[in-house]
Amino acid sequence: MTTAQADGWLNALAKDRGDLDRSSTAERVADKLRASVLDGDIKPGQQLNEKALGEALRVSRNTLREAFRLLTHERLLVHEYSKGVFVRRPDVPDIVDLYAARRVIECGAVRRWPHVDEDARRAVRDAVALGLACRERDDWTGVGTANVKFHQALTALAGSARLDEEVKRLLAELRLAFHVMGDHEEFYRDYLTLNQSIVDRLDAGEVRQAEEALLTYFDRAEQHLITGLRAER
């Protein structure tokens, strides 16, 4: 490659640096919106107001629309022609696909329990403790958030930043389905106990049994959500 050719593609990149800056900002905006979904602050079917969000985040309309595009690709948002952008409502095929992915990722991560450091184990236990504390305060939205943290901590046992990011996206999509179920206490009550039982097995060195319990958990949760989504229609 000649010097002129090298300069040519570098100059082309320089011309596009404004787009790169917008993309980077859009990704940060998308991260904030995704976190709001994970925390249960944004609900399925909710319309996102461009003007209000742009003012709150102090970003341009173009940046915000790019963030919307990213989250639409992740199936968290949907654009309805002439109406605007809405938070997506997952359907039954979404649930089946999401749990297929979670079985592979989280069960594989759980097998790493004997090989990880104490900080990684403590994060799993702390998420369960947070859920129990929220239950004592009758904060069932908080229990839901603690449940998300529990599954993120399980995934983190794998020691892969790529898997951590992927599960963050999967759980955000699932959190939208959890909202459709209505009564948070009715939905989360039994799963909090199951989380505790999985940790108890891990702490007892019963890794295979913990993995089997997690698989049973996923089977139950998947069917629970599918039944709820079908009844909601």
Side-chain angles (χ1 to χ4, degrees):
M1 179 181 291
T2 67
T3 302
Q5 287 174 321
D7 289 344
W9 72 264
L10 286 173
N11 290 335
L13 283 178
K15 289 179 181 177
D16 291 337
R17 62 175 172 255
D19 290 338
L20 186 62
D21 290 341
R22 285 196 297 274
S23 176
S24 176
T25 304
E27 288 173 0
R28 291 196 295 271
V29 171
D31 286 343
K32 289 182 178 295
L33 293 175
R34 190 186 304 106
S36 293
V37 172
L38 280 166
D39 290 341
D41 297 329
I42 298 179
K43 311 295 192 296
Q46 180 176 335
Q47 184 172 11
L48 299 185
N49 185 301
E50 275 190 16
K51 186 175 185 296
L53 272 173
E55 291 175 353
L57 297 173
R58 296 184 179 179
V59 296
S60 70
R61 179 170 293 183
N62 285 340
T63 295
L64 191 58
R65 287 179 176 175
E66 176 63 14
F68 286 169
R69 188 191 66 77
L70 292 171
L71 294 177
T72 298
H73 180 70
E74 293 179 17
R75 304 186 183 202
L76 294 181
L77 303 180
V78 61
H79 181 267
E80 295 187 12
Y81 182 70
S82 77
K83 292 184 179 180
V85 176
F86 295 80
V87 180
R88 190 168 174 271
R89 301 173 70 88
D91 56 22
V92 170
D94 291 323
I95 300 304
V96 173
D97 192 35
L98 286 164
Y99 275 93
R102 294 185 71 191
R103 287 183 183 94
V104 173
I105 296 171
E106 292 187 49
C107 289
V110 161
R111 295 180 208 132
R112 294 284 306 157
W113 181 267
H115 311 291
V116 300
D117 61 29
E118 188 57 29
D119 286 344
R121 295 178 182 179
R122 187 180 301 111
V124 178
R125 299 187 194 105
D126 287 348
V128 173
L130 176 62
L132 294 171
C134 288
R135 183 181 65 181
E136 289 300 312
R137 300 194 298 270
D138 204 29
D139 175 11
W140 290 95
T141 297
V143 170
T145 299
N147 187 60
V148 167
K149 292 181 182 298
F150 172 71
H151 290 287
Q152 288 178 314
L154 286 183
T155 302
L157 297 173
S160 167
R162 289 174 174 82
L163 286 180
D164 291 343
E165 286 300 313
E166 184 60 30
V167 165
K168 186 185 296 183
R169 289 189 286 268
L170 296 178
L171 291 173
E173 195 174 350
L174 268 172
R175 189 74 192 255
L176 296 178
F178 296 160
H179 278 300
V180 177
M181 299 301 290
D183 187 341
H184 286 183
E185 178 178 357
E186 188 278 331
F187 181 77
Y188 287 115
R189 182 175 54 238
D190 294 339
Y191 296 108
L192 185 57
T193 303
L194 292 173
N195 291 351
Q196 180 68 71
S197 70
I198 290 168
V199 171
D200 289 344
R201 285 182 170 91
L202 289 171
D203 279 331
E206 301 172 353
V207 177
R208 182 177 60 80
Q209 292 89 333
E211 181 184 351
E212 290 173 353
L214 184 58
L215 282 170
T216 300
Y217 176 122
F218 285 152
D219 290 344
R220 179 175 176 178
E222 179 183 2
Q223 193 55 51
H224 192 173
L225 284 166
I226 287 173
T227 300
L229 287 174
R230 285 174 173 163
E232 194 263 346
R233 288 182 175 179

